Amino acid sequence: MIAIRRATVEDVDRIAPLFDAYRQFYRQPPDGSLARGFLADRLGRGESVVFVAETAGTSAPETCGFTQLYPLFSSVACRPIWILSDLFVARAFRRGGVGRRLMEAAHEFARIQGAATVELDTAHTNTTAQTLYESLGYRQDLEFRHYILKL
């Protein structure tokens, strides 16, 4: 059985290895210390919201996956929006609905916050994630173009 809950700063050491694996998926070098510090800063400062999936009913729950959201605001809608920046499920727990449950927890949180939207980006090659997102109702935005200035 898998339980989904909002993470706290006390969960950083449990989530950091998955966060580091997530970064490696996007071709970043392994760096557990960097991953841990980044998560600790975001959670400690209240700059992000993380939901964690873990096995339930055991004395030592295993961390299965996580999703991380960042707050923004829509000037057009005059409401908050949430950027779903990160979603990662450990290999052993993939194809079991963990990613979907994490996404649903993020959606419910955003609704409670009065958000206008939950937005996300993913790699063009990440077709597995794209299939999940589209099954949840996400659609590519055809009205706006997404631009990035690398600094």
Side-chain angles (χ1 to χ4, degrees):
M1 185 169 154
I2 304 296
I4 309 291
R5 65 178 177 81
R6 186 170 174 178
T8 67
V9 72
E10 287 79 26
D11 295 307
V12 166
D13 288 331
R14 295 171 46 130
I15 302 168
L18 288 180
F19 185 62
D20 193 42
Y22 166 79
R23 293 182 69 255
Q24 291 174 52
F25 177 82
Y26 284 104
R27 296 184 180 96
Q28 298 302 306
D31 192 333
S33 178
L34 176 69
R36 188 199 180 290
F38 185 86
L39 279 175
D41 285 348
R42 300 297 72 74
L43 289 172
R45 295 176 184 163
E47 294 173 343
S48 74
V49 172
V50 175
F51 289 95
V52 62
E54 55 195 7
T55 55
T58 63
S59 59
E62 186 176 353
T63 305
C64 310
F66 76 95
T67 190
Q68 182 165 217
L69 299 113
Y70 295 100
L72 288 176
F73 295 90
S74 169
S75 298
V76 174
C78 294
R79 292 172 53 197
I81 62 174
W82 288 87
I83 303 298
L84 195 146
S85 182
D86 314 320
L87 174 67
F88 189 80
V89 176
R91 187 171 303 281
F93 296 96
R94 292 181 187 162
R95 303 266 182 212
V98 174
R100 177 175 297 276
R101 293 199 43 219
L102 284 163
M103 297 285 293
E104 289 169 347
H107 299 161
E108 181 60 20
F109 171 79
R111 280 186 196 96
I112 291 168
Q113 298 298 310
T117 62
V118 174
E119 301 179 12
L120 60 83
D121 292 320
T122 193
H124 292 284
T125 57
N126 194 351
T127 57
T128 301
Q130 291 166 28
T131 300
L132 170 62
Y133 302 148
E134 290 171 9
S135 77
L136 289 165
Y138 285 81
R139 298 292 173 254
Q140 289 186 41
D141 188 337
L142 301 176
E143 185 177 353
F144 293 96
R145 291 183 185 244
H146 181 83
Y147 290 92
I148 296 174
L149 172 65
K150 294 202 178 203
L151 303 174

